[in-house]
Amino acid sequence: MNFGKIARISGALTRSLKRFQHGSEVVTASNQSLPPNLVLYGISKEQFEPESQQEEVKSPGPETPIIRKCNGEIPKNKSPITVWVDSFKNVEQQRQVSAQLHPLIFGAHPRMDILHEVMRWQQRYRDVNYTWSRTRAELGRGKQKPWPQKGTGRVRQGSRAGPGWKMGGIAHGPRGPVSLYYKPADDVILKGLTIALTVKLVQDDLIVVDDVEIPEADTNFFNDVINSRNLSENSLLFMHAENDFPQNLSEIVSNSRTLSLMPASALNVWSMLKHDKLILPLSMLDDLETKILWHMNRYPWLGKPHNFYKDMPGKKGLKFEQEQYLAEQQRESDENVSQ
Amino acid sequence: MISARCRMLLLVKQHLNRSQTRLTSVLTSNNSGVAYTISKEEFKWIRRLLPPSIIPKPPLHSNYPTPSGWSPPTETSLDLPYFISRTRYHEFPVYEITKRNGQTMTHIRKIEGDIWAFERDVIGIIHPYLDFDPATRVHEVAGIVSVKGNFKAVITQYLREKGF
């Protein structure tokens, strides 16, 4: 197989890739939007005009104020991704302020095989094989010898339930419910998360919002908000920060089949792919980024994962634990200095 | 005639039936006289013994390379069509493996950008050490280049020179 040939990429994805790369200001020598060895089946590169097919949406430029910056360390060959920050308090779509997203989480290398693996794991880890066959002892028939041992001319038999008999017991058949639970490596699941977030962002399916809560539990107002953003025919996945439950939105979501509301800890690949659009509030981004970056930069687990590390995210979050640890270290160093 | 101990046990049972909050006061003020206090500040003596979970950043040295031969990546951006990031342990992602038949292979992971340009550069680096063309494999999807033979030191030196 010639690895230089890549399968047909739809117009929407190439357009999104171009916009994504221009918007993120990638710091490399080659600033080409498409790789040079890309082959597009069916149409020549001259015929391919993505700009004419859809109106261009401006990505946030250098003048737009940034209300949220990345916390974690950013590698030198990458720069933060800027996205518009919308607001559900206004009926009209807002494109005035922007937020920065971490490139390792929202700009990960799009490995479709890993995404597929994690998605299939979510579907299959709960599977149980319920097949069960009876052995010769479980058929419920007696232990009577069908004919005497000798003299009849037939093969010696002890019961009519043996595996050689018609309608007899099965010798080495499936035995009872068997769990088909399995778990891929932690790194694979983590990469699946980051790739799903990247795919959502690149395909214009990620909406960052200052607060996911709406001012009142009014379905008409909510429908106006959704229609003005052309999301009336999309299934929406709303996320909220752990301690920040949106009461009004939950009332509307509970009455709808196409809307879902989940806390930040429930973010998963299957839900992201199942729903058309993903809506993230700013309050959730800090915790999400610190936890994912912690998983990328931690030591392997010593044994089972346990809460006996000095700087592990607990209930109050990684930042709180780190601050506590640093404060203790500072206190110890002050004591040493004073002594 | 109820003994003091029996009276104490009856008292405890009564308190248990009423509420949980009263139990602590009963326990702390018992007849045997062992008083204890709850202190959360003493946990710091346990916390210093717990292992860290985050891989620490290497300390700043005055001179590089360090005595072990390690040097950090340069802070300026590089003018190459590809980029090879460091592992979480701040090392180069170059690995050598030995197969069961005795063959050695070198893998270079975490390659972003034009992987074919990197493969050409790797061939150029290895050429002086071989009389024939080196056997390489490019895994575009995973960002891995594999070379037949053990060239870990040579490739690591090249990456260090370039400042990855």
Side-chain angles (χ1 to χ4, degrees), chain A residues 3 73 76-78 109 111 294 296 298-300 310-311 322 328, chain B residues 47 50-51 53-57 74 79 83 88-89 112 140-141 163:
Chain A
F3 286 102
E73 215 184 294
K76 72 177 185 192
N77 65 320
K78 291 193 156 90
H109 181 53
R111 286 281 300 270
W294 174 72
M296 285 176 172
R298 62 169 171 80
Y299 286 114
K310 52 171 84 148
D311 51 5
Q322 279 181 328
E328 269 176 26
Chain B
R47 194 190 271 271
L50 297 174
S53 64
I54 297 170
I55 295 162
K57 282 183 209 168
T74 55
D79 195 28
F83 185 80
R88 65 179 74 182
Y89 299 102
E112 295 157 33
E140 267 193 83
V141 172

PDB file of all heavy atoms in Angstrom, chain A residues 3 73 76-78 109 111 294 296 298-300 310-311 322 328, chain B residues 47 50-51 53-57 74 79 83 88-89 112 140-141 163:
ATOM      1  N   PHE A   3       1.775   4.572   1.140  1.00  0.00           N
ATOM      2  CA  PHE A   3       1.352   5.380   2.289  1.00  0.00           C
ATOM      3  C   PHE A   3       1.191   6.846   1.933  1.00  0.00           C
ATOM      4  O   PHE A   3       0.640   7.610   2.685  1.00  0.00           O
ATOM      5  CB  PHE A   3       2.375   5.241   3.426  1.00  0.00           C
ATOM      6  CG  PHE A   3       2.298   3.919   4.119  1.00  0.00           C
ATOM      7  CD1 PHE A   3       3.212   2.921   3.847  1.00  0.00           C
ATOM      8  CD2 PHE A   3       1.288   3.665   5.032  1.00  0.00           C
ATOM      9  CE1 PHE A   3       3.135   1.692   4.488  1.00  0.00           C
ATOM     10  CE2 PHE A   3       1.207   2.436   5.656  1.00  0.00           C
ATOM     11  CZ  PHE A   3       2.136   1.447   5.386  1.00  0.00           C
ATOM     12  N   GLU A  73       1.809  24.252  30.361  1.00  0.00           N
ATOM     13  CA  GLU A  73       2.953  24.593  29.523  1.00  0.00           C
ATOM     14  C   GLU A  73       2.671  24.196  28.084  1.00  0.00           C
ATOM     15  O   GLU A  73       2.180  23.102  27.818  1.00  0.00           O
ATOM     16  CB  GLU A  73       4.174  23.824  30.023  1.00  0.00           C
ATOM     17  CG  GLU A  73       5.461  24.594  29.891  1.00  0.00           C
ATOM     18  CD  GLU A  73       6.649  23.746  30.303  1.00  0.00           C
ATOM     19  OE1 GLU A  73       6.733  23.414  31.484  1.00  0.00           O
ATOM     20  OE2 GLU A  73       7.446  23.400  29.420  1.00  0.00           O
ATOM     21  N   LYS A  76       7.137  24.277  22.324  1.00  0.00           N
ATOM     22  CA  LYS A  76       7.644  25.428  21.581  1.00  0.00           C
ATOM     23  C   LYS A  76       7.213  25.415  20.123  1.00  0.00           C
ATOM     24  O   LYS A  76       7.147  26.464  19.499  1.00  0.00           O
ATOM     25  CB  LYS A  76       9.167  25.489  21.681  1.00  0.00           C
ATOM     26  CG  LYS A  76       9.895  24.426  20.888  1.00  0.00           C
ATOM     27  CD  LYS A  76      11.390  24.619  20.992  1.00  0.00           C
ATOM     28  CE  LYS A  76      12.096  23.617  20.101  1.00  0.00           C
ATOM     29  NZ  LYS A  76      13.520  23.549  20.351  1.00  0.00           N
ATOM     30  N   ASN A  77       6.897  24.232  19.573  1.00  0.00           N
ATOM     31  CA  ASN A  77       6.505  24.205  18.171  1.00  0.00           C
ATOM     32  C   ASN A  77       5.009  24.445  17.984  1.00  0.00           C
ATOM     33  O   ASN A  77       4.522  24.403  16.858  1.00  0.00           O
ATOM     34  CB  ASN A  77       6.883  22.864  17.536  1.00  0.00           C
ATOM     35  CG  ASN A  77       6.116  21.697  18.152  1.00  0.00           C
ATOM     36  OD1 ASN A  77       5.922  21.671  19.355  1.00  0.00           O
ATOM     37  ND2 ASN A  77       5.689  20.762  17.337  1.00  0.00           N
ATOM     38  N   LYS A  78       4.275  24.707  19.068  1.00  0.00           N
ATOM     39  CA  LYS A  78       2.827  24.885  18.971  1.00  0.00           C
ATOM     40  C   LYS A  78       2.448  26.176  19.691  1.00  0.00           C
ATOM     41  O   LYS A  78       3.146  26.642  20.585  1.00  0.00           O
ATOM     42  CB  LYS A  78       2.096  23.718  19.613  1.00  0.00           C
ATOM     43  CG  LYS A  78       2.247  22.430  18.855  1.00  0.00           C
ATOM     44  CD  LYS A  78       1.270  21.397  19.341  1.00  0.00           C
ATOM     45  CE  LYS A  78       0.992  20.372  18.277  1.00  0.00           C
ATOM     46  NZ  LYS A  78       1.871  19.225  18.294  1.00  0.00           N
ATOM     47  N   HIS A 109      -2.885  15.255  17.148  1.00  0.00           N
ATOM     48  CA  HIS A 109      -2.770  14.590  15.847  1.00  0.00           C
ATOM     49  C   HIS A 109      -3.976  13.673  15.664  1.00  0.00           C
ATOM     50  O   HIS A 109      -4.207  12.803  16.494  1.00  0.00           O
ATOM     51  CB  HIS A 109      -1.469  13.799  15.825  1.00  0.00           C
ATOM     52  CG  HIS A 109      -1.220  13.093  14.539  1.00  0.00           C
ATOM     53  ND1 HIS A 109      -1.238  13.725  13.317  1.00  0.00           N
ATOM     54  CD2 HIS A 109      -0.948  11.799  14.269  1.00  0.00           C
ATOM     55  CE1 HIS A 109      -0.984  12.850  12.363  1.00  0.00           C
ATOM     56  NE2 HIS A 109      -0.792  11.670  12.909  1.00  0.00           N
ATOM     57  N   ARG A 111      -5.635  10.804  15.090  1.00  0.00           N
ATOM     58  CA  ARG A 111      -5.487   9.374  14.834  1.00  0.00           C
ATOM     59  C   ARG A 111      -6.873   8.735  14.847  1.00  0.00           C
ATOM     60  O   ARG A 111      -7.464   8.502  15.902  1.00  0.00           O
ATOM     61  CB  ARG A 111      -4.637   8.731  15.942  1.00  0.00           C
ATOM     62  CG  ARG A 111      -3.156   9.038  15.867  1.00  0.00           C
ATOM     63  CD  ARG A 111      -2.456   8.191  14.839  1.00  0.00           C
ATOM     64  NE  ARG A 111      -2.575   6.774  15.108  1.00  0.00           N
ATOM     65  CZ  ARG A 111      -1.724   6.055  15.840  1.00  0.00           C
ATOM     66  NH1 ARG A 111      -0.703   6.655  16.416  1.00  0.00           N
ATOM     67  NH2 ARG A 111      -1.904   4.773  16.020  1.00  0.00           N
ATOM     68  N   TRP A 294      -1.913  16.591  33.376  1.00  0.00           N
ATOM     69  CA  TRP A 294      -1.341  15.788  34.454  1.00  0.00           C
ATOM     70  C   TRP A 294      -1.203  14.336  34.026  1.00  0.00           C
ATOM     71  O   TRP A 294      -0.161  13.710  34.247  1.00  0.00           O
ATOM     72  CB  TRP A 294      -2.211  15.898  35.708  1.00  0.00           C
ATOM     73  CG  TRP A 294      -1.772  15.007  36.811  1.00  0.00           C
ATOM     74  CD1 TRP A 294      -0.667  15.157  37.593  1.00  0.00           C
ATOM     75  CD2 TRP A 294      -2.407  13.818  37.248  1.00  0.00           C
ATOM     76  NE1 TRP A 294      -0.582  14.122  38.486  1.00  0.00           N
ATOM     77  CE2 TRP A 294      -1.643  13.291  38.299  1.00  0.00           C
ATOM     78  CE3 TRP A 294      -3.561  13.149  36.862  1.00  0.00           C
ATOM     79  CZ2 TRP A 294      -2.000  12.131  38.973  1.00  0.00           C
ATOM     80  CZ3 TRP A 294      -3.915  11.984  37.532  1.00  0.00           C
ATOM     81  CH2 TRP A 294      -3.123  11.496  38.573  1.00  0.00           C
ATOM     82  N   MET A 296      -0.841  13.255  31.053  1.00  0.00           N
ATOM     83  CA  MET A 296       0.190  13.131  30.008  1.00  0.00           C
ATOM     84  C   MET A 296       1.592  13.193  30.599  1.00  0.00           C
ATOM     85  O   MET A 296       2.527  12.653  30.021  1.00  0.00           O
ATOM     86  CB  MET A 296       0.037  14.265  28.994  1.00  0.00           C
ATOM     87  CG  MET A 296      -1.125  14.091  28.059  1.00  0.00           C
ATOM     88  SD  MET A 296      -1.255  15.554  27.015  1.00  0.00           S
ATOM     89  CE  MET A 296      -2.487  15.013  25.867  1.00  0.00           C
ATOM     90  N   ARG A 298       2.547  12.439  33.978  1.00  0.00           N
ATOM     91  CA  ARG A 298       2.772  11.803  35.264  1.00  0.00           C
ATOM     92  C   ARG A 298       3.612  10.541  35.100  1.00  0.00           C
ATOM     93  O   ARG A 298       3.744   9.993  34.023  1.00  0.00           O
ATOM     94  CB  ARG A 298       1.441  11.460  35.930  1.00  0.00           C
ATOM     95  CG  ARG A 298       0.611  10.489  35.144  1.00  0.00           C
ATOM     96  CD  ARG A 298      -0.549   9.980  35.970  1.00  0.00           C
ATOM     97  NE  ARG A 298      -1.469   9.221  35.166  1.00  0.00           N
ATOM     98  CZ  ARG A 298      -1.303   7.962  34.799  1.00  0.00           C
ATOM     99  NH1 ARG A 298      -0.232   7.303  35.185  1.00  0.00           N
ATOM    100  NH2 ARG A 298      -2.193   7.355  34.057  1.00  0.00           N
ATOM    101  N   TYR A 299       4.138  10.069  36.230  1.00  0.00           N
ATOM    102  CA  TYR A 299       4.812   8.771  36.257  1.00  0.00           C
ATOM    103  C   TYR A 299       3.774   7.665  36.038  1.00  0.00           C
ATOM    104  O   TYR A 299       2.604   7.879  36.302  1.00  0.00           O
ATOM    105  CB  TYR A 299       5.472   8.537  37.617  1.00  0.00           C
ATOM    106  CG  TYR A 299       6.715   9.337  37.874  1.00  0.00           C
ATOM    107  CD1 TYR A 299       6.750  10.316  38.860  1.00  0.00           C
ATOM    108  CD2 TYR A 299       7.885   9.100  37.141  1.00  0.00           C
ATOM    109  CE1 TYR A 299       7.891  11.037  39.110  1.00  0.00           C
ATOM    110  CE2 TYR A 299       9.025   9.826  37.397  1.00  0.00           C
ATOM    111  CZ  TYR A 299       9.020  10.787  38.381  1.00  0.00           C
ATOM    112  OH  TYR A 299      10.150  11.507  38.627  1.00  0.00           O
ATOM    113  N   PRO A 300       4.193   6.491  35.586  1.00  0.00           N
ATOM    114  CA  PRO A 300       3.235   5.387  35.530  1.00  0.00           C
ATOM    115  C   PRO A 300       2.771   5.028  36.939  1.00  0.00           C
ATOM    116  O   PRO A 300       3.474   5.278  37.919  1.00  0.00           O
ATOM    117  CB  PRO A 300       4.042   4.231  34.923  1.00  0.00           C
ATOM    118  CG  PRO A 300       5.286   4.802  34.427  1.00  0.00           C
ATOM    119  CD  PRO A 300       5.524   6.098  35.115  1.00  0.00           C
ATOM    120  N   LYS A 310       1.651  12.738  46.578  1.00  0.00           N
ATOM    121  CA  LYS A 310       1.601  14.019  47.277  1.00  0.00           C
ATOM    122  C   LYS A 310       0.995  15.114  46.411  1.00  0.00           C
ATOM    123  O   LYS A 310       0.579  16.130  46.913  1.00  0.00           O
ATOM    124  CB  LYS A 310       2.967  14.431  47.789  1.00  0.00           C
ATOM    125  CG  LYS A 310       4.110  14.426  46.787  1.00  0.00           C
ATOM    126  CD  LYS A 310       5.357  15.063  47.365  1.00  0.00           C
ATOM    127  CE  LYS A 310       6.131  14.088  48.164  1.00  0.00           C
ATOM    128  NZ  LYS A 310       7.560  14.228  48.205  1.00  0.00           N
ATOM    129  N   ASP A 311       0.950  14.926  45.079  1.00  0.00           N
ATOM    130  CA  ASP A 311       0.448  15.994  44.210  1.00  0.00           C
ATOM    131  C   ASP A 311      -0.510  15.442  43.169  1.00  0.00           C
ATOM    132  O   ASP A 311      -0.341  15.653  41.989  1.00  0.00           O
ATOM    133  CB  ASP A 311       1.617  16.709  43.534  1.00  0.00           C
ATOM    134  CG  ASP A 311       2.561  15.722  42.863  1.00  0.00           C
ATOM    135  OD1 ASP A 311       2.258  14.522  42.837  1.00  0.00           O
ATOM    136  OD2 ASP A 311       3.601  16.154  42.350  1.00  0.00           O
ATOM    137  N   GLN A 322      -1.598  21.001  44.505  1.00  0.00           N
ATOM    138  CA  GLN A 322      -0.269  21.528  44.184  1.00  0.00           C
ATOM    139  C   GLN A 322       0.046  22.739  45.044  1.00  0.00           C
ATOM    140  O   GLN A 322       1.164  22.879  45.554  1.00  0.00           O
ATOM    141  CB  GLN A 322      -0.197  21.907  42.707  1.00  0.00           C
ATOM    142  CG  GLN A 322       0.060  20.725  41.813  1.00  0.00           C
ATOM    143  CD  GLN A 322       0.157  21.116  40.354  1.00  0.00           C
ATOM    144  OE1 GLN A 322      -0.489  22.051  39.919  1.00  0.00           O
ATOM    145  NE2 GLN A 322       0.947  20.392  39.606  1.00  0.00           N
ATOM    146  N   GLU A 328       3.512  24.019  51.721  1.00  0.00           N
ATOM    147  CA  GLU A 328       4.234  23.252  52.755  1.00  0.00           C
ATOM    148  C   GLU A 328       5.728  23.322  52.539  1.00  0.00           C
ATOM    149  O   GLU A 328       6.496  23.487  53.486  1.00  0.00           O
ATOM    150  CB  GLU A 328       3.802  21.786  52.697  1.00  0.00           C
ATOM    151  CG  GLU A 328       2.624  21.475  53.590  1.00  0.00           C
ATOM    152  CD  GLU A 328       2.173  20.031  53.409  1.00  0.00           C
ATOM    153  OE1 GLU A 328       2.999  19.189  53.029  1.00  0.00           O
ATOM    154  OE2 GLU A 328       0.986  19.778  53.629  1.00  0.00           O
TER     155      GLU A 328
ATOM    156  N   ARG B  47       2.976  13.320  54.299  1.00  0.00           N
ATOM    157  CA  ARG B  47       2.979  13.770  52.918  1.00  0.00           C
ATOM    158  C   ARG B  47       4.383  13.773  52.323  1.00  0.00           C
ATOM    159  O   ARG B  47       4.593  13.481  51.164  1.00  0.00           O
ATOM    160  CB  ARG B  47       2.374  15.169  52.833  1.00  0.00           C
ATOM    161  CG  ARG B  47       2.010  15.611  51.445  1.00  0.00           C
ATOM    162  CD  ARG B  47       1.667  17.074  51.459  1.00  0.00           C
ATOM    163  NE  ARG B  47       0.256  17.308  51.727  1.00  0.00           N
ATOM    164  CZ  ARG B  47      -0.664  17.370  50.774  1.00  0.00           C
ATOM    165  NH1 ARG B  47      -0.331  17.199  49.513  1.00  0.00           N
ATOM    166  NH2 ARG B  47      -1.907  17.605  51.072  1.00  0.00           N
ATOM    167  N   LEU B  50       5.230  10.440  50.838  1.00  0.00           N
ATOM    168  CA  LEU B  50       4.458   9.928  49.703  1.00  0.00           C
ATOM    169  C   LEU B  50       5.211  10.188  48.410  1.00  0.00           C
ATOM    170  O   LEU B  50       5.939  11.166  48.304  1.00  0.00           O
ATOM    171  CB  LEU B  50       3.091  10.607  49.642  1.00  0.00           C
ATOM    172  CG  LEU B  50       2.158  10.374  50.819  1.00  0.00           C
ATOM    173  CD1 LEU B  50       0.931  11.241  50.657  1.00  0.00           C
ATOM    174  CD2 LEU B  50       1.773   8.920  50.922  1.00  0.00           C
ATOM    175  N   PRO B  51       5.047   9.308  47.427  1.00  0.00           N
ATOM    176  CA  PRO B  51       5.761   9.525  46.162  1.00  0.00           C
ATOM    177  C   PRO B  51       5.098  10.627  45.345  1.00  0.00           C
ATOM    178  O   PRO B  51       3.901  10.864  45.449  1.00  0.00           O
ATOM    179  CB  PRO B  51       5.640   8.172  45.450  1.00  0.00           C
ATOM    180  CG  PRO B  51       4.400   7.568  45.989  1.00  0.00           C
ATOM    181  CD  PRO B  51       4.240   8.067  47.389  1.00  0.00           C
ATOM    182  N   SER B  53       3.647  12.262  41.863  1.00  0.00           N
ATOM    183  CA  SER B  53       3.013  11.712  40.663  1.00  0.00           C
ATOM    184  C   SER B  53       3.483  12.428  39.404  1.00  0.00           C
ATOM    185  O   SER B  53       3.491  11.849  38.328  1.00  0.00           O
ATOM    186  CB  SER B  53       1.491  11.809  40.778  1.00  0.00           C
ATOM    187  OG  SER B  53       1.100  13.158  40.819  1.00  0.00           O
ATOM    188  N   ILE B  54       3.866  13.705  39.539  1.00  0.00           N
ATOM    189  CA  ILE B  54       4.238  14.494  38.358  1.00  0.00           C
ATOM    190  C   ILE B  54       5.740  14.363  38.150  1.00  0.00           C
ATOM    191  O   ILE B  54       6.524  14.461  39.099  1.00  0.00           O
ATOM    192  CB  ILE B  54       3.861  15.971  38.560  1.00  0.00           C
ATOM    193  CG1 ILE B  54       2.345  16.089  38.701  1.00  0.00           C
ATOM    194  CG2 ILE B  54       4.334  16.805  37.395  1.00  0.00           C
ATOM    195  CD1 ILE B  54       1.889  17.442  39.127  1.00  0.00           C
ATOM    196  N   ILE B  55       6.144  14.136  36.909  1.00  0.00           N
ATOM    197  CA  ILE B  55       7.572  14.056  36.575  1.00  0.00           C
ATOM    198  C   ILE B  55       8.159  15.462  36.686  1.00  0.00           C
ATOM    199  O   ILE B  55       7.661  16.389  36.047  1.00  0.00           O
ATOM    200  CB  ILE B  55       7.758  13.491  35.157  1.00  0.00           C
ATOM    201  CG1 ILE B  55       7.265  12.040  35.120  1.00  0.00           C
ATOM    202  CG2 ILE B  55       9.207  13.550  34.738  1.00  0.00           C
ATOM    203  CD1 ILE B  55       6.995  11.513  33.745  1.00  0.00           C
ATOM    204  N   PRO B  56       9.194  15.654  37.510  1.00  0.00           N
ATOM    205  CA  PRO B  56       9.691  17.017  37.721  1.00  0.00           C
ATOM    206  C   PRO B  56      10.482  17.529  36.529  1.00  0.00           C
ATOM    207  O   PRO B  56      10.998  16.763  35.729  1.00  0.00           O
ATOM    208  CB  PRO B  56      10.600  16.859  38.947  1.00  0.00           C
ATOM    209  CG  PRO B  56      11.029  15.438  38.924  1.00  0.00           C
ATOM    210  CD  PRO B  56       9.933  14.654  38.284  1.00  0.00           C
ATOM    211  N   LYS B  57      10.540  18.842  36.438  1.00  0.00           N
ATOM    212  CA  LYS B  57      11.354  19.453  35.382  1.00  0.00           C
ATOM    213  C   LYS B  57      12.813  19.347  35.785  1.00  0.00           C
ATOM    214  O   LYS B  57      13.151  19.452  36.957  1.00  0.00           O
ATOM    215  CB  LYS B  57      10.979  20.932  35.237  1.00  0.00           C
ATOM    216  CG  LYS B  57       9.701  21.149  34.485  1.00  0.00           C
ATOM    217  CD  LYS B  57       9.428  22.624  34.314  1.00  0.00           C
ATOM    218  CE  LYS B  57       7.920  22.829  34.248  1.00  0.00           C
ATOM    219  NZ  LYS B  57       7.521  24.213  34.351  1.00  0.00           N
ATOM    220  N   THR B  74      16.508  23.598  22.771  1.00  0.00           N
ATOM    221  CA  THR B  74      16.717  25.041  22.637  1.00  0.00           C
ATOM    222  C   THR B  74      15.371  25.755  22.695  1.00  0.00           C
ATOM    223  O   THR B  74      14.339  25.185  22.359  1.00  0.00           O
ATOM    224  CB  THR B  74      17.390  25.372  21.300  1.00  0.00           C
ATOM    225  OG1 THR B  74      16.606  24.815  20.239  1.00  0.00           O
ATOM    226  CG2 THR B  74      18.784  24.814  21.241  1.00  0.00           C
ATOM    227  N   ASP B  79      14.005  25.933  12.102  1.00  0.00           N
ATOM    228  CA  ASP B  79      13.656  26.193  10.711  1.00  0.00           C
ATOM    229  C   ASP B  79      13.671  24.901   9.899  1.00  0.00           C
ATOM    230  O   ASP B  79      14.313  24.821   8.856  1.00  0.00           O
ATOM    231  CB  ASP B  79      14.647  27.218  10.131  1.00  0.00           C
ATOM    232  CG  ASP B  79      14.121  27.799   8.826  1.00  0.00           C
ATOM    233  OD1 ASP B  79      12.891  27.850   8.663  1.00  0.00           O
ATOM    234  OD2 ASP B  79      14.944  28.175   7.979  1.00  0.00           O
ATOM    235  N   PHE B  83       9.255  18.307  13.235  1.00  0.00           N
ATOM    236  CA  PHE B  83       9.588  18.562  14.632  1.00  0.00           C
ATOM    237  C   PHE B  83       9.469  17.262  15.411  1.00  0.00           C
ATOM    238  O   PHE B  83       8.519  16.508  15.236  1.00  0.00           O
ATOM    239  CB  PHE B  83       8.662  19.619  15.250  1.00  0.00           C
ATOM    240  CG  PHE B  83       9.057  19.997  16.643  1.00  0.00           C
ATOM    241  CD1 PHE B  83      10.091  20.901  16.856  1.00  0.00           C
ATOM    242  CD2 PHE B  83       8.429  19.446  17.733  1.00  0.00           C
ATOM    243  CE1 PHE B  83      10.480  21.241  18.135  1.00  0.00           C
ATOM    244  CE2 PHE B  83       8.807  19.782  19.014  1.00  0.00           C
ATOM    245  CZ  PHE B  83       9.826  20.680  19.218  1.00  0.00           C
ATOM    246  N   ARG B  88       8.055  12.455  27.910  1.00  0.00           N
ATOM    247  CA  ARG B  88       7.696  13.082  29.180  1.00  0.00           C
ATOM    248  C   ARG B  88       8.840  13.055  30.169  1.00  0.00           C
ATOM    249  O   ARG B  88       8.842  13.797  31.147  1.00  0.00           O
ATOM    250  CB  ARG B  88       6.463  12.393  29.769  1.00  0.00           C
ATOM    251  CG  ARG B  88       6.646  10.955  30.159  1.00  0.00           C
ATOM    252  CD  ARG B  88       5.396  10.367  30.740  1.00  0.00           C
ATOM    253  NE  ARG B  88       4.390  10.112  29.722  1.00  0.00           N
ATOM    254  CZ  ARG B  88       3.182   9.637  29.986  1.00  0.00           C
ATOM    255  NH1 ARG B  88       2.821   9.373  31.201  1.00  0.00           N
ATOM    256  NH2 ARG B  88       2.321   9.432  29.022  1.00  0.00           N
ATOM    257  N   TYR B  89       9.849  12.212  29.933  1.00  0.00           N
ATOM    258  CA  TYR B  89      11.034  12.150  30.786  1.00  0.00           C
ATOM    259  C   TYR B  89      12.161  13.037  30.258  1.00  0.00           C
ATOM    260  O   TYR B  89      13.313  12.880  30.653  1.00  0.00           O
ATOM    261  CB  TYR B  89      11.536  10.710  30.895  1.00  0.00           C
ATOM    262  CG  TYR B  89      10.517   9.769  31.507  1.00  0.00           C
ATOM    263  CD1 TYR B  89       9.771   8.920  30.711  1.00  0.00           C
ATOM    264  CD2 TYR B  89      10.289   9.750  32.870  1.00  0.00           C
ATOM    265  CE1 TYR B  89       8.828   8.081  31.243  1.00  0.00           C
ATOM    266  CE2 TYR B  89       9.352   8.909  33.423  1.00  0.00           C
ATOM    267  CZ  TYR B  89       8.622   8.070  32.606  1.00  0.00           C
ATOM    268  OH  TYR B  89       7.684   7.235  33.151  1.00  0.00           O
ATOM    269  N   GLU B 112       6.429  15.063  13.976  1.00  0.00           N
ATOM    270  CA  GLU B 112       5.322  15.863  13.435  1.00  0.00           C
ATOM    271  C   GLU B 112       5.821  16.629  12.222  1.00  0.00           C
ATOM    272  O   GLU B 112       6.980  16.992  12.154  1.00  0.00           O
ATOM    273  CB  GLU B 112       4.811  16.854  14.487  1.00  0.00           C
ATOM    274  CG  GLU B 112       4.189  16.202  15.697  1.00  0.00           C
ATOM    275  CD  GLU B 112       4.219  17.113  16.909  1.00  0.00           C
ATOM    276  OE1 GLU B 112       4.117  18.331  16.734  1.00  0.00           O
ATOM    277  OE2 GLU B 112       4.385  16.598  18.029  1.00  0.00           O
ATOM    278  N   GLU B 140       3.425   6.826   8.589  1.00  0.00           N
ATOM    279  CA  GLU B 140       2.905   8.201   8.551  1.00  0.00           C
ATOM    280  C   GLU B 140       1.870   8.471   9.622  1.00  0.00           C
ATOM    281  O   GLU B 140       1.863   9.514  10.251  1.00  0.00           O
ATOM    282  CB  GLU B 140       2.275   8.479   7.189  1.00  0.00           C
ATOM    283  CG  GLU B 140       3.215   9.098   6.202  1.00  0.00           C
ATOM    284  CD  GLU B 140       2.478   9.628   4.988  1.00  0.00           C
ATOM    285  OE1 GLU B 140       1.956  10.742   5.062  1.00  0.00           O
ATOM    286  OE2 GLU B 140       2.415   8.891   4.002  1.00  0.00           O
ATOM    287  N   VAL B 141       0.968   7.516   9.817  1.00  0.00           N
ATOM    288  CA  VAL B 141      -0.154   7.746  10.733  1.00  0.00           C
ATOM    289  C   VAL B 141       0.346   7.920  12.157  1.00  0.00           C
ATOM    290  O   VAL B 141      -0.088   8.794  12.889  1.00  0.00           O
ATOM    291  CB  VAL B 141      -1.164   6.585  10.628  1.00  0.00           C
ATOM    292  CG1 VAL B 141      -2.222   6.698  11.685  1.00  0.00           C
ATOM    293  CG2 VAL B 141      -1.792   6.557   9.258  1.00  0.00           C
ATOM    294  N   GLY B 163      18.829  20.889  18.104  1.00  0.00           N
ATOM    295  CA  GLY B 163      18.162  21.625  19.164  1.00  0.00           C
ATOM    296  C   GLY B 163      16.745  21.191  19.470  1.00  0.00           C
ATOM    297  O   GLY B 163      15.954  21.937  20.041  1.00  0.00           O
TER     298      GLY B 163
END
